[in-house]
Amino acid sequence: MNTMPLLIKNARIITATDDYAADVFCAGEQISRIEKSIDAKSCPPDTEVIDATGKYLFPGFIDPHVHIYLPFMGTYAKDTWETAGRAAIIGGTTTLVEMICPGKTDEPMTAFETWLGKAEGTAPCDFTFHMGVTRFDDLAERQLREIVKRGITSFKVFLAYKGALGVDDRELYRTLKLATELGVVVTAHCENETLIAERSAELIATGKTGPEFHEPSRPVQVEAEGVHHLMTFAELTGAEVYIVHTSCDEAVREATRAIERGVNAHIEVVLPHLVLDQSYTLGGGPALRAESGDPFEGAKYIMSPPLRDKSQLPRMWNHLRSRAISTVATDHAPFDFETQKCMGKDAFTKIPNGIPSVEDRINLLYTHGVCEGRIDLNTFVDAASTKAARIFGLKGKGTIAIGADADLVVFDPAFRGTISGKTHHMATDYSAFEGWPINGRPSVVTVRGRVMARDGKFVGGSGHGRLVPRG
Ligand code: URP
Ligand code: ZN
Ligand code: ZN
C-alpha cells in the first residue's frame, strides 16, 4: 500500500509547548510543510485533503511501556503485534515500546531476535524495545553490548518477581554500570521482592487468597522501598534510570527526593493508576459487583504495583500536572479473564498480572485529564508522546515539525462513546473500563504519512510498522 500525499486543513495544532492554527502537508513519510494556509492546488493532484475544522492535531502518541509477547506467570499474554498494534492505532498511539522479558536462563540475543521477529513484518505501528536484563554474566554482558549497537538503547530490570524475572543486587549494580558506560537508560520495576514474597505467604497461609489481598501483599511502603533501592544504586553508578508504573505518592516522593540530590531519574505513571483504585479488586468495582456479585471479578484488576487507595489518584494527577511525572504509559499486559486470570482462583499470587489498556490510554487520559481540568493540552501531549521520544531517543517522533515523522492524530473532541470489551480491538475477553464513557477520540490516525485508522476503524495494513531509529 502506497502512502498518498496528505493535506490536513484548518487544524488546531497542539505540541508539548505550542497551540496554534495551521495547515500541514506531508508528501511522504515526513511532514513537509506547516503554514497558516496551504492551498490544495499547490499540492500534487493525488493529495488527500482532510478537513480538521473543530479538531485537534496531535503528534502520534507513544506508549513507552507495553507487553505484547509475554511469557509470564505460567501463561502468555493474549495479544499479537497485529491485534495490539491495531488497537493502539485506533486509540491514537502510533509507536509502542515493548519490554523484552527473557527467562533467566535465556540468552539475551536469542530473546532480542525472538521479540524483534514477532514485531517485524507484522506490526502496523512503529516500535522499539527495552531490553530486559534478567541475568547478568559475561555472556549476557557481551550480548547486551551487541543489542545496544543494534539501536536498542534502553534496558529493563525487575526488582520484583522473585525467582522469575527479578535480578539480584550484584546483577543490578553491574547492569547499571554497563548502562552508564554505554549511555543507555535503565527502566526499572521497583518493588521489594522479599517483602512481597514474605507477606504473600503469610496472607495465603491465613486463608486470605482472594484478589483483594494482592494490594496488602505489596503496600505502598514496598514500592517506595524499591524506588529508594534503585535510587541508591543509580546514585552510586551515575546511571540514568526510568521508574516504570509508579502507583503512589510515596514512590514518587522517593524518586523526587533523589532527583533533587542529582540522581538522573524519570518517573512514569500508567493509565490504570490514574483512573482505577483498589476498590476494583473487590469484585471488579461498583458496576460489576452489582451485576455478577462474584468477588473474583476483582482478578481483572490485578497488576503490579497494585491499584491503590483512591486517595492516591488526585496526588498522582498533581504529580503529572507539575510534570514531576514525565510520562503516561499503559503497562498493557493482556490476559483473558475466563482462561488466564482464573488460574488464580485459589490464590491471588497465581493471577497473571496486568490490565489491558493500550487502546484506551489516550481517550481516557483526555476524558479524565484534559476534560476534567486536571492537565492542560500541552501536558497531555508532553506526557503521552514528547517526553517518551526525548528520554528514549526516538528519532522523528513526539512532535509536529517540518522533517518530523508524519505520525499524526486528528482528534475529535466532540465525539461521545462508551468503552466495551465487546467492541474493543485488543484480544482480551474483557475490558477493565467496561461501560466507561469517553469524550473525544481520534478521527484520523497516520503512521509515517499513511492513514491507518478512521473514526474507530482500522484501515491500514499489517507490517507497515518499523523499528524506530534511536539516538
Ligand atoms: O502487572 C503488571 N505490571 N504486569 C506486567 C509485568 C510488569 O510488571 O510490568
Ligand atoms: Zn512491572
Ligand atoms: Zn510492565
Side-chain angles (χ1 to χ4, degrees), residues 58-220:
F58 297 128
F61 292 101
I62 299 166
D63 191 336
H65 182 172
V66 299
H67 303 271
I68 296 168
Y69 174 61
L70 178 65
F72 186 52
M73 297 184 74
T75 185
Y76 291 84
K78 242 348 251 309
D79 270 313
T80 61
W81 270 97
E82 188 81 57
T83 56
R86 284 172 181 234
I89 290 172
I90 288 166
T93 297
T94 52
T95 301
L96 295 176
V97 189
E98 190 190 17
M99 303 286 177
I100 296 178
C101 297
K104 269 189 147 351
T105 54
D106 298 341
E107 290 193 13
M109 188 55 85
T110 313
F112 171 59
E113 297 290 1
T114 302
W115 261 260
L116 179 64
K118 299 211 178 263
E120 253 178 355
T122 305
C125 60
D126 283 350
F127 57 88
T128 183
F129 304 95
H130 302 303
M131 183 63 216
V133 181
T134 50
R135 62 186 252 205
F136 195 96
D137 50 26
D138 290 346
L139 176 74
E141 182 184 336
R142 274 199 305 281
Q143 295 189 353
L144 288 169
R145 287 176 185 277
E146 280 309 306
I147 291 164
V148 172
K149 278 192 200 140
R150 289 179 62 179
I152 307 305
T153 53
S154 47
F155 293 156
K156 168 73 186 283
V157 291
F158 293 90
L159 308 192
Y161 305 129
K162 211 173 168 82
L165 301 169
V167 287
D168 64 27
D169 281 351
R170 193 192 119 274
E171 291 170 314
L172 175 63
Y173 185 71
R174 293 192 182 183
T175 304
L176 292 174
K177 294 250 297 189
L178 178 66
T180 308
E181 182 200 321
L182 301 178
V184 310
V185 187
V186 180
T187 70
H189 174 138
C190 297
E191 290 181 292
N192 182 290
E193 59 177 3
T194 308
L195 285 171
I196 298 165
E198 290 299 312
R199 292 176 67 85
S200 299
E202 282 165 13
L203 286 160
I204 299 282
T206 52
K208 295 179 171 159
T209 57
E212 69 274 31
F213 295 107
H214 176 70
E215 201 281 340
S217 75
R218 47 217 305 157
V220 293

